């Protein structure tokens, strides 16, 4: 049967030889899957910069769908999405600045803080 090569990006396997591996690694499907994988780990600032440089996709704005999907060269983000992303970038920058200044930054999220606050308020009311 021979050795088989499994591609983690594409989630498929094939007979492992030089020709098959080269053909797969240079294929469009593999390159797209690899790009999608690495895009998962990009920071919000890079995503925001890229999306702001693109023009809005007309078809996506009109119908809510685009035939090209993630391969579309136009932006599929609404104004609200861009505002949220911009706020996230600003929050990350503030946090980074605080870390550089050496300030104590409490770990956790806003939800954690709200839960702790609700517990404190309920215990204060019970007393």
């Amino acid at each position: 049967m021979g050795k088989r090569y499994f591609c983690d990006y594409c989630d498929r396997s094939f007979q492992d030889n030089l020709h098959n591996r080269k053909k797969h690694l240079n294929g469009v499907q593999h390159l797209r899957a690899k790009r999608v994988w690495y895009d998962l780990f990009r920071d919000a600032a890079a995503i925001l910069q890229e999306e702001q440089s693109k023009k809005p996709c007309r078809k996506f704005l009109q119908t809510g769908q685009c035939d090209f999907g993630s391969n579309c060269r136009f932006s599929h983000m609404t104004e609200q999405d861009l505002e949220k992303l911009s706020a996230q970038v600003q929050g990350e920058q503030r946090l980074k600045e605080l870390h550089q200044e050496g300030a104590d930054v409490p770990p956790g999220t806003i939800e954690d803080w709200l839960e702790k606050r609700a517990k404190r308020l309920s215990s204060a009311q019970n007393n």
Side-chain angles (χ1 to χ4, degrees):
M1 176 143 161
K3 291 184 177 181
R4 300 200 50 84
Y5 178 80
F6 182 77
C7 178
D8 289 323
Y9 300 117
C10 302
D11 197 28
R12 64 177 285 216
S13 66
F14 51 88
Q15 186 177 3
D16 189 20
N17 60 40
L18 183 62
H19 174 73
N20 288 348
R21 192 182 289 203
K22 263 189 179 178
K23 185 177 176 182
H24 174 76
L25 294 177
N26 293 325
V28 174
Q29 183 181 16
H30 174 77
L31 295 175
R32 283 184 184 158
K34 185 176 169 184
R35 180 176 179 217
V36 167
W37 173 257
Y38 281 103
D39 284 349
L40 292 173
F41 302 104
R42 289 192 315 168
D43 62 336
I47 295 170
L48 179 65
Q49 183 181 9
E50 182 180 322
E51 290 297 324
Q52 286 178 335
S53 67
K54 293 180 182 179
K55 293 180 181 177
C57 180
R58 286 187 191 170
K59 180 139 184 161
F60 186 78
L61 291 176
Q62 291 172 350
T63 64
Q65 295 179 348
C66 177
D67 297 334
F68 296 102
S70 63
N71 297 322
C72 185
R73 65 181 179 154
F74 299 106
S75 176
H76 291 167
M77 289 194 143
T78 62
E79 289 295 322
Q80 294 85 4
D81 293 339
L82 288 173
E83 288 172 7
K84 288 178 186 176
L85 193 57
S86 178
Q88 181 183 351
V89 168
Q90 290 174 354
E92 289 175 359
Q93 286 175 345
R94 280 191 216 115
L95 191 63
K96 189 175 181 180
E97 289 171 0
L98 286 174
H99 279 294
Q100 287 177 350
E101 293 172 2
D104 289 335
V105 180
T109 61
I110 291 177
E111 289 81 16
D112 296 336
W113 181 82
L114 288 172
E115 286 178 13
K116 289 178 184 177
R117 181 175 179 256
K119 288 178 184 176
R120 276 187 273 140
L121 290 174
S122 65
S123 66
Q125 289 174 352
N126 292 338
N127 292 337

